[in-house]
Amino acid sequence: MDSPTTETTPHPPTLCGPFVGAIDEGTTSARFIIFRAGTDEIVCFHQIEVESIFQKEGWCEQDPMAIVNTVNECIAGACKKLIAVGGKVEEIITIGITNQRESTVVWDRNSGQPLVNAIIWLDNRTTSTVEELLETIPNNARNINYLRPLCGLPLSPYFSGVKLRWLRDNVPVVSQAMEKGTAMFGTIDTWLMYNLTGGKDCGVHKTDVTNASRTMLMNIETLQWDANLLKFFGLPKTILPEICSSSEFYGKIAQGVLQGIGITSVLGDQQAALVGQQCLAKGQAKATYGTGCFLLYNTGPSIVHSTHGLLTTVGYQLGRKAVPFYALEGSVSIAGAAFNWLRDNMNLIQNSGQIESMASTVDNSLDVYFVPAFNGLYAPYWNQDARGVICGLSEETTSEHIVRATLEAVCFQVRDILDSMHKDCKIPLAKLMVDGGMTVNNLFLQLQSDLVGIQVLRAKIAETTALGAAMAAYKAVESRYQMEAPLSKTGPRDAIKPSISATDRNLRYQKWKMAIDRSLNWETSTLPQGEREAFDGA
């Protein structure tokens, strides 16, 4: 009699490590990505959307505990997928964190629970706080650049220090906790690390130089919290985390599937993309297109204080004793978010997959120019009272022209920033490294190259932000790792070159500047007396 056979489930082939994990906590989603150590090869990842809360016009909040739970789910999901493809979780040797910057969390030191929802970076509620702070500047100067020599940043609703001051002034539970010394503050990196390393029991309260440089509370030269800045904002030092480099040991994960694994890097998302794009030499620049658009220009160990509307920020510091590298940054608040508006508010598109095909059905925007200044304009204008305008509409204008004009709006805003970078650094940029969700759109990249007049190089992988965090984390545990060595094994980047004349480019840019002029100071504008009287009498 033949012996019975038993069916067994085949095991996946063994996938050898070591691996490095990267938490990428963004504005709209969180993900955990596992890379093969020292390379840009993605082994697996898990991603979950993060919900925003809009209680009032211009406000944007998120539930801090939901952010933590989402990240933990992403870690568990990615590790499950790693096992499914033949890898071992034990071969994840370290992890890094990259995060949406400026977003502000305040929690209780004793309970470890948030005192209020996180105020997200694009939240505009603090406009009144900026006005109040401007009134405190000596000699009635009302100069938004008053603090630039100390922190590299203008007074703006954008930054964490202003959000913290608003919370102190408007949320009693926060002001009381500050007075009692029980309040703790952190940007999203700090909040995640605190919870991952043990929370109220033994959680680490730290941040890195890139995130700290976006608070308006860190001295841009000493890379430490500045007493004069804290005095200006009226904030206690006791709430602040310890500032560390971007690549060093922070602490160990306290529980879960990665229990005992070290966290060895932290970078704000845009600085992480700078590292992931390997813009590690002075004079290199990258643009990341997501909800907003962010350009960083590596200025090396030198601090360049912009006189043309850009921000001075820390690019990275890859080790506690390493020389910090600085960057000039230009921030566009509305990039991909403009297409969400076209979809959700105007019903001009159903999904992002339609954008390129719709815009490609017309040869140009038919002289339509769209300035998506829904909550003001960031660099280089820094005009919080600007509002969105669409100029040049005619009877022939179609939805396709408006979609194409929206693509061009992002491109023109990038040119605004590149022109400012040229004026500040005196060195024309020959090429621009690009990454982010919008770069899958080939027409968009051609328009970008056409309207800035330089070569655009698309990253071979979309996840350059997570890659930068993984690179910095691996460097902290592998001293022989050379970050400057080419990582990609997939061939050269896609290169897109300009296809229009300089004359055409500049004529179109002049029209863009006309549209910008029409958007400025809209919130505070009133009709001149004569026009108002004529209107009243009509």
Side-chain angles (χ1 to χ4, degrees):
M1 184 176 177
D2 295 333
S3 59
T5 59
T6 58
E7 292 186 6
T8 59
T9 303
H11 292 286
T14 301
L15 183 67
C16 296
F19 307 113
V20 176
I23 295 169
D24 183 357
E25 204 298 304
T27 310
T28 58
S29 70
R31 66 194 109 189
F32 186 67
I33 301 177
I34 299 173
F35 293 89
R36 195 182 291 276
T39 78
D40 62 358
E41 180 186 345
I42 295 175
V43 178
C44 58
F45 72 95
H46 195 78
Q47 180 172 349
I48 301 174
E49 288 190 1
V50 176
E51 181 181 357
S52 291
I53 303 163
F54 304 97
Q55 294 195 35
K56 297 181 181 180
E57 181 182 356
W59 290 31
C60 183
E61 302 176 355
Q62 290 178 357
D63 179 349
M65 292 311 303
I67 293 173
V68 172
N69 294 336
T70 299
V71 166
N72 281 324
E73 287 181 46
C74 289
I75 291 172
C79 289
K80 185 176 180 180
K81 291 175 182 178
L82 176 64
I83 295 169
V85 297
K88 297 179 179 179
V89 173
E90 306 86 73
E91 292 194 283
I92 298 176
I93 56 175
T94 189
I95 73 163
I97 296 175
T98 182
N99 58 285
Q100 52 168 310
R101 304 169 305 165
E102 295 97 18
S103 297
T104 299
V105 186
V106 180
W107 65 96
D108 182 79
R109 190 180 303 275
N110 297 319
S111 70
Q113 294 297 304
L115 296 173
V116 67
N117 279 341
I119 300 181
I120 302 307
W121 61 273
L122 48 72
D123 185 289
N124 208 32
R125 76 183 69 184
T126 54
T127 300
S128 59
T129 303
V130 171
E131 289 298 314
E132 292 165 6
L133 290 169
L134 285 171
E135 292 294 334
T136 68
I137 294 174
N139 304 318
N140 295 316
R142 291 184 56 83
N143 179 9
I144 65 169
N145 295 313
Y146 176 65
L147 300 177
R148 268 187 188 266
L150 286 176
C151 64
L153 307 173
L155 264 175
S156 166
Y158 190 20
F159 303 111
S160 308
V162 180
K163 300 181 193 303
L164 270 175
R165 175 59 184 262
W166 186 93
L167 287 169
R168 193 207 76 172
D169 292 346
N170 294 278
V171 183
V173 68
V174 172
S175 59
Q176 292 165 11
M178 286 184 181
E179 291 172 6
K180 293 189 295 184
T182 57
M184 300 177 78
F185 153 73
T187 41
I188 298 298
D189 58 302
T190 301
W191 171 243
L192 287 175
M193 190 182 322
Y194 172 80
N195 282 278
L196 289 170
T197 57
K200 66 181 179 65
D201 297 323
C202 55
V204 171
H205 192 211
K206 295 180 180 179
T207 189
D208 91 301
V209 289
T210 66
N211 280 291
S213 74
R214 313 296 295 185
T215 62
M216 297 197 78
L217 304 176
M218 186 189 81
N219 187 297
I220 198 71
E221 294 186 5
T222 66
L223 306 185
Q224 295 299 320
W225 303 121
D226 188 278
N228 290 321
L229 292 170
L230 288 167
K231 181 179 179 181
F232 178 85
F233 285 102
L235 298 171
K237 190 176 181 180
T238 55
I239 67 173
L240 301 175
E242 176 188 351
I243 300 175
C244 303
S245 78
S246 308
S247 178
E248 63 177 78
F249 178 76
Y250 278 81
K252 291 184 178 181
I253 295 178
Q255 58 186 359
V257 67
L258 294 182
Q259 184 176 2
I261 301 297
I263 300 171
T264 57
S265 80
V266 174
L267 286 155
D269 53 6
Q270 302 311 317
Q271 287 92 334
L274 188 74
V275 173
Q277 284 272 31
Q278 292 187 284
C279 294
L280 300 173
K282 182 178 179 179
Q284 293 181 319
K286 71 88 198 176
T288 299
Y289 304 86
T291 305
C293 176
F294 302 88
L295 283 82
L296 265 71
Y297 181 104
N298 190 329
T299 63
S302 304
I303 298 173
V304 176
H305 287 287
S306 176
T307 57
H308 296 92
L310 302 180
L311 310 178
T312 301
T313 193
V314 179
Y316 50 83
Q317 184 188 20
L318 299 175
R320 184 176 287 272
K321 296 181 179 179
V323 174
F325 271 52
Y326 292 87
L328 283 176
E329 177 173 335
S331 309
V332 173
S333 62
I334 303 295
F339 294 96
N340 295 341
W341 181 79
L342 292 184
R343 180 194 65 200
D344 300 336
N345 295 52
M346 306 304 292
N347 295 316
L348 292 186
I349 61 173
Q350 274 68 54
N351 57 70
S352 60
Q354 292 181 288
I355 296 168
E356 183 169 7
S357 60
M358 284 185 68
S360 298
T361 61
V362 291
D363 294 330
N364 54 62
S365 64
L366 208 64
D367 226 21
V368 172
Y369 291 81
F370 176 23
V371 181
F374 301 142
N375 292 306
L377 287 169
Y378 286 0
Y381 305 102
W382 295 107
N383 190 300
Q384 62 196 31
D385 294 318
R387 288 298 179 266
V389 296
I390 300 178
C391 302
L393 296 174
S394 68
E395 290 181 347
E396 288 76 31
T397 302
T398 66
S399 57
E400 287 79 8
H401 293 115
I402 293 175
V403 170
R404 190 176 180 108
T406 307
L407 286 174
E408 292 181 350
V410 180
C411 301
F412 282 126
Q413 290 179 95
V414 168
R415 171 157 179 181
D416 285 337
I417 291 169
L418 288 178
D419 282 359
S420 294
M421 287 178 173
H422 182 197
K423 292 172 184 175
D424 281 327
C425 296
K426 314 299 182 188
I427 303 171
L429 198 66
K431 56 188 178 182
L432 179 67
M433 312 293 190
V434 299
D435 60 83
M438 289 185 66
T439 61
V440 301
N441 186 321
N442 293 316
L443 173 62
F444 167 68
L445 291 187
Q446 186 61 64
L447 290 171
Q448 183 67 91
S449 181
D450 287 345
L451 295 176
V452 298
I454 59 175
Q455 189 178 55
V456 169
L457 298 175
R458 175 165 46 195
K460 270 299 182 180
I461 68 166
E463 310 298 345
T464 55
T465 301
L467 175 61
M471 290 167 63
Y474 188 50
K475 182 175 177 60
V477 298
E478 178 49 79
S479 59
R480 294 171 296 176
Y481 175 45
Q482 298 297 314
M483 294 181 68
E484 295 79 7
L487 285 170
S488 182
K489 300 177 182 178
T490 55
R493 299 167 183 255
D494 296 331
I496 299 92
K497 298 180 179 179
S499 62
I500 65 173
S501 68
T503 300
D504 186 14
R505 177 182 308 117
N506 292 330
L507 284 173
R508 291 162 71 178
Y509 188 58
Q510 287 175 15
K511 287 283 189 75
W512 165 256
K513 298 297 277 187
M514 291 169 61
I516 285 287
D517 288 342
R518 285 155 174 77
S519 76
L520 296 177
N521 301 310
W522 189 267
E523 189 72 4
T524 56
S525 294
T526 57
L527 286 171
Q529 184 65 29
E531 292 183 30
R532 186 162 62 248
E533 290 172 354
F535 181 81
D536 290 340

